Structure formats: structure tokens, C-alpha cells
């Protein structure tokens, strides 16, 4: 086991996640908070140094981009795509269709199903073709499964307006706009072999059977319980998705700490990040790991999970935490990806 210090010093103190990930043909990334992106040079310096993949936390969502029936605001998406291109980073477009973040004008516009169909087709076509060859992969549909019924969310605006076909339509429109982009279905709490992952598997098997162009599944992996570890179930799930021809990305990893944070909790958190990184590197179907932020200064957790926080790998002052060192060490072990 290589000691953290020597790994950190291996590159003359310049070792970083990105260099090791590159050598292993593995994507390592984070979501981006656009306020920090525009205002904080230290933030963007770490982005470019440590990661080879990015996703916008909110800038690619419908409410941010889709300003009217056929009008779009691409200011932030252009800025992030330009940054990714400049720094030779892959970028994920999150997300084209979600039951959250539906623009108010669309929800309240009393549009018919046919009108919503045409509006969504125009949105996806305009958005995806704008970044043709630049956005590597899209979360085409996000979180379509109901946690209680384990069926499709019936309360989704998209289900109500377009019926269950909204998923296959969205994937087909995105594929037509950029045939080379990887098209993902993204979900939370569906990494194991439970009811929800069973539904995801069935949904994707149906789409694939009907020749709908789906490339992969995003496992969000918001870890809310201390002591969490990967499981044999995750390996089984990865294998069966792989058999469908799908790849997997960990898309939104964060490991919450029940406040107050202590040294012990930070070390436990580091073990969880280490375990996830180890799992990803040894599971051939998993092509990359993105975290939902990299610094505790910018995380959704404190406002959405009261009493929890410090979920990321750099602290509020952008200093690496034990979790960062643990991931670096796992990446530095050097066995090439299968
Ligand atoms: O931009 C507006 C601002 O103009 C307004 O003044 C302010 C107050 O209402 O709201 C701002 O928008 C907020 C947005 O984040 C940008 O900060 C939304 O209210 C708020 O709901 C939104 O929260 C985001 C949430 O998704 C919903 O979109 C979180 O930051 C983001 O971390 C979270 O990320 C999701 C993934 O997209 C999907 N998987 C789960 C993950 C965590 O919930």
C-alpha cells in the first residue's frame, strides 16, 4: 500500500487525480457551480488540474436554458463547453428531460400533448445539435422511476403530456441531433439489485429491444449513510447492464457526513470514496466517476439534507481532505483499465 504522502510527493507534490486517471483511460470529474466558475480563479484552477470531465450542476437544465417556446439561453452552457474544450475535458450534458426544472411558461402554458411533443423535439434538437461533437454524453432522461410504485413517475409533466413514449422520443431526437454523442439514462438509488434497479433494467432492456439509441446508465450515488460500501449487487447489476450493451458512469457521487464533522468521520468518508474508486476501476462496464461538486464550499447537501454536509473531497478552503488522498492512491495503483 503506497503511503499517501509518497503518492502526493510522487509528482513532486504535483500529482493529481486527472494525471492518474488519464493513464488508466478513466474519466474523473465533477459538477460545476457556475457562480464559482465565473468568479473564483482558484475554483477553475482545480477544475482544470484535477479533472478530465465536467458536468454543469444546473446550467444545462431546462429552467436555465429554455426561456420560451423556441428561445434558448446558451450563455452559461457555451462558457462551460468552451472551458472544457480549452482544457481538453469531456463534458456531460445534464439533463435534457426531468420532471424537475420544467420551465414555468411551459407548465402554465396550457399546451396540448402534440404542442409539447413539438416543443420538446425542437428544444432537444436545438440544444444537442449546438454542441454536436463537443458534448460527449447527455443525461437524456433523469429520474423517471417512482420510488414508491417502482413504475414510471405518473406525476411527471412529460408522462402526463406525452405518455410513456417520452423516453424513447427524447433518446431518438437526441441521437438524430448528434449521432456520436453517448446517451444516458440517469438515476439515483438504482445501483444495487433492488426493485428500482430492476425497473431501470427492464426499462432499458425494452428501449434497447426497440432499437432506441441508449448508450449508458448513470448511477448518481449520493451516499447519505456513513459506513456505506460498494456491494456484490453492484457488480451483478453492472454485469447485466453490460450484457445489454450499456456502459455505466458514476455521475453524482458525494458522501455526506452527519455534522459535526470529526476526524473519524472524515477517515470513514475517505474509506467510502476509496471503495467506490476501487469498485469503478475494477468494473469494466464503469467508464468514469463524477462527483457532485469537489469542494464543501459549493455543495447542494447543506440546503437539501439539513444536518449533513462536508460531503466532498476538498474542504471549504479548497484543501484536499483524506477522501482526496484515498482516491489519488487508488488511481495511482496503476493497473490499466480493462
Ligand atoms: O437560479 C435560481 C435563482 O435565480 C433563484 O433566486 C434561487 C432561489 O429560488 O433559485 C435558483 O435556482 C436554484 C438552482 O439550484 C440554482 O442554484 C433552484 O431553486 C434549486 O432548486 C436548484 O437546486 C438544484 C437541484 O438539483 C434542483 O435542480 C441543486 O443545486 C442541484 O445540486 C441538484 O442536483 C440534482 C441533480 O440535478 C439530479 N440528481 C440529484 C441532484 C441533487 O438533488
Amino acid at each position: 500500500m503506497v503511503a499517501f504522502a509518497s503518492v502526493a510527493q510522487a509528482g513532486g507534490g504535483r500529482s493529481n487525480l486527472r494525471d492518474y486517471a488519464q493513464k488508466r483511460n478513466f474519466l474523473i470529474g465533477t459538477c460545476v457551480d457556475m457562480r464559482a466558475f465565473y468568479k473564483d480563479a482558484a475554483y477553475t484552477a482545480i477544475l482544470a488540474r484535477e479533472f478530465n470531465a465536467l458536468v454543469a450542476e444546473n446550467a444545462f437544465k431546462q429552467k436555465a436554458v429554455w426561456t420560451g417556446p423556441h428561445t434558448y439561453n446558451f450563455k452559461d452552457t457555451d462558457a462551460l463547453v468552451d472551458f472544457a474544450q480549452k482544457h481538453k475535458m469531456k463534458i456531460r450534458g445534464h439533463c435534457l428531460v426531468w420532471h424537475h426544472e420544467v420551465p414555468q411558461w411551459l407548465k402554465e402554458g396550457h399546451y396540448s400533448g402534440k404542442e409539447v411533443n413539438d416543443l420538446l423535439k425542437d428544444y432537444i434538437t436545438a440544444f444537442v445539435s449546438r454542441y454536436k461533437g463537443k458534448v460527449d454524453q447527455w443525461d437524456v432522461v433523469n429520474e423517471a422511476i417512482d420510488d414508491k410504485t417502482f413504475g414510471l413517475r405518473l406525476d411527471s409533466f412529460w408522462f402526463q403530456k406525452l405518455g410513456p413514449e417520452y423516453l424513447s422520443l427524447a433518446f431518438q431526437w437526441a441521437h438524430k441531433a448528434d449521432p456520436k454523442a453517448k446517451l444516458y439514462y440517469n438515476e439515483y438509488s438504482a445501483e444495487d439489485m433492488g426493485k428500482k434497479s430492476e425497473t431501470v433494467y427492464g426499462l432499458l432492456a425494452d428501449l434497447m429491444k426497440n432499437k432506441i439509441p441508449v448508450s449508458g446508465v448513470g448511477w448518481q450515488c449520493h451516499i447519505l449513510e456513513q459506513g456505506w460500501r460498494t456491494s456484490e449487487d453492484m457488480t451483478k447489476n453492472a454485469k447485466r447492464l453490460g450484457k445489454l450493451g450499456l456502459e455505466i458512469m458514476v455521475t453524482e457521487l458525494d458522501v455526506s457526513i452527519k455534522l459535526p464533522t470529526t476526524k473519524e468521520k472524515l477517515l470513514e468518508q475517505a474509506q467510502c470514496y476509496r471503495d467506490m474508486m476501487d469498485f469503478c476501476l475494477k468494473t469494466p462496464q464503469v467508464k468514469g466517476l463524477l462527483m457532485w461538486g469537489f469542494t464543501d464550499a459549493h455543495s447542494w447537501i447543506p440546503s437539501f439534507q439539513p444536518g449533513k454536509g462536508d460531503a466532498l473531497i476538498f474542504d471549504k478552503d479548497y484543501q484536499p481532505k483524506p477522501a482526496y488522498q484515498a482516491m489519488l492512491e487508488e488511481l495511482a495503483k496503476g493497473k490499466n483499465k480493462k
Side-chain angles (χ1 to χ4, degrees):
M1 170 99 81
V2 178
F4 293 161
S6 61
V7 168
Q9 283 148 11
R14 288 188 302 282
S15 58
N16 54 62
L17 298 170
R18 175 172 183 160
D19 289 349
Y20 287 125
Q22 217 68 25
K23 289 187 192 113
R24 302 186 68 160
N25 187 25
F26 187 72
L27 290 177
I28 183 79
T30 177
C31 81
V32 177
D33 175 304
M34 293 308 284
R35 285 157 299 196
F37 174 81
Y38 284 123
K39 286 191 312 210
D40 184 344
Y43 183 88
T44 46
I46 293 176
L47 280 184
R49 186 188 75 219
E50 296 292 342
F51 305 112
N52 59 15
L54 292 178
V55 61
E57 183 170 17
N58 294 300
F60 273 64
K61 292 173 181 171
Q62 286 187 353
K63 257 191 189 162
V65 174
W66 201 358
T67 50
H70 299 284
T71 56
Y72 315 110
N73 168 13
F74 293 124
K75 172 183 167 293
D76 290 348
T77 51
D78 282 353
L80 198 59
V81 169
D82 292 348
F83 180 88
Q85 293 232 296
K86 181 178 166 204
H87 296 285
K88 296 185 174 43
M89 305 168 92
K90 299 279 188 193
I91 187 158
R92 304 196 78 247
H94 170 85
C95 46
L96 293 172
V97 182
W98 188 20
H99 61 283
H100 277 301
E101 303 290 330
V102 179
Q104 222 54 31
W105 62 264
L106 181 58
K107 269 199 289 201
E108 294 165 0
H110 305 295
Y111 293 100
S112 69
K114 173 77 175 71
E115 287 168 327
V116 171
N117 179 91
D118 296 348
L119 285 166
L120 183 61
K121 180 178 181 181
D122 186 70
Y123 172 72
I124 291 176
T125 305
F127 199 178
V128 176
S129 47
R130 184 181 183 87
Y131 299 117
K132 184 172 181 179
K134 293 181 179 177
V135 170
D136 177 66
Q137 42 188 273
W138 289 91
D139 283 338
V140 176
V141 176
N142 187 50
E143 303 175 11
I145 309 295
D146 186 305
D147 288 319
K148 296 183 189 64
T149 66
F150 301 110
L152 288 180
R153 285 174 189 275
L154 305 183
D155 63 347
S156 161
F157 174 82
W158 307 108
F159 183 91
Q160 288 168 355
K161 288 291 182 183
L162 304 179
E165 297 73 35
Y166 82 88
L167 290 115
S168 51
L169 288 169
F171 277 99
Q172 291 172 91
W173 294 331
H175 181 69
K176 191 155 185 292
D178 184 355
K180 290 211 170 69
K182 291 182 177 175
L183 305 179
Y184 270 70
Y185 173 77
N186 193 45
E187 188 61 85
Y188 64 88
S189 308
E191 301 83 30
D192 58 10
M193 293 292 281
K195 285 187 181 163
K196 190 170 185 182
S197 61
E198 199 54 42
T199 304
V200 170
Y201 178 77
L203 175 74
L204 291 164
D206 278 352
L207 289 172
M208 305 290 279
K209 194 176 69 198
N210 294 312
K211 306 274 181 269
I212 303 300
V214 186
S215 320
V217 185
W219 288 350
Q220 291 184 15
C221 298
H222 292 292
I223 310 301
L224 298 171
E225 298 310 321
Q226 290 266 166
W228 184 91
R229 292 292 183 271
T230 59
S231 65
E232 195 39 48
D233 261 8
M234 287 171 67
T235 304
K236 278 192 202 139
N237 194 19
K239 281 187 181 147
R240 68 174 176 177
L241 291 167
K243 283 207 181 86
L244 289 180
L246 295 166
E247 61 182 45
I248 292 164
M249 290 281 287
V250 170
T251 51
E252 304 181 14
L253 178 64
D254 42 31
V255 181
S256 298
I257 286 179
K258 193 170 181 319
L259 302 176
T261 296
T262 63
K263 188 165 172 19
E264 291 66 34
K265 290 179 185 177
L266 286 171
L267 292 175
E268 162 50 39
Q269 179 187 58
Q271 279 309 101
C272 186
Y273 272 99
R274 172 199 294 281
D275 187 49
M276 180 65 91
M277 179 58 87
D278 176 51
F279 170 85
C280 290
L281 293 173
K282 71 186 179 196
T283 306
Q285 295 83 7
V286 179
K287 305 305 177 192
L289 183 163
L290 279 85
M291 292 162 277
W292 209 240
F294 67 84
T295 163
D296 294 333
H298 301 290
S299 166
W300 70 290
I301 295 284
S303 18
F304 285 77
Q305 305 283 343
K308 295 194 174 169
D310 293 346
L312 301 169
I313 64 173
F314 287 83
D315 67 20
K316 288 184 171 58
D317 301 316
Y318 297 177
Q319 295 308 306
K321 295 159 61 176
Y324 173 88
Q325 299 297 357
M327 292 180 88
L328 193 69
E329 186 182 346
E330 286 309 310
L331 277 169
K333 280 180 181 168
K335 289 185 292 299
N336 279 328
K337 192 99 178 116
K338 295 151 194 70

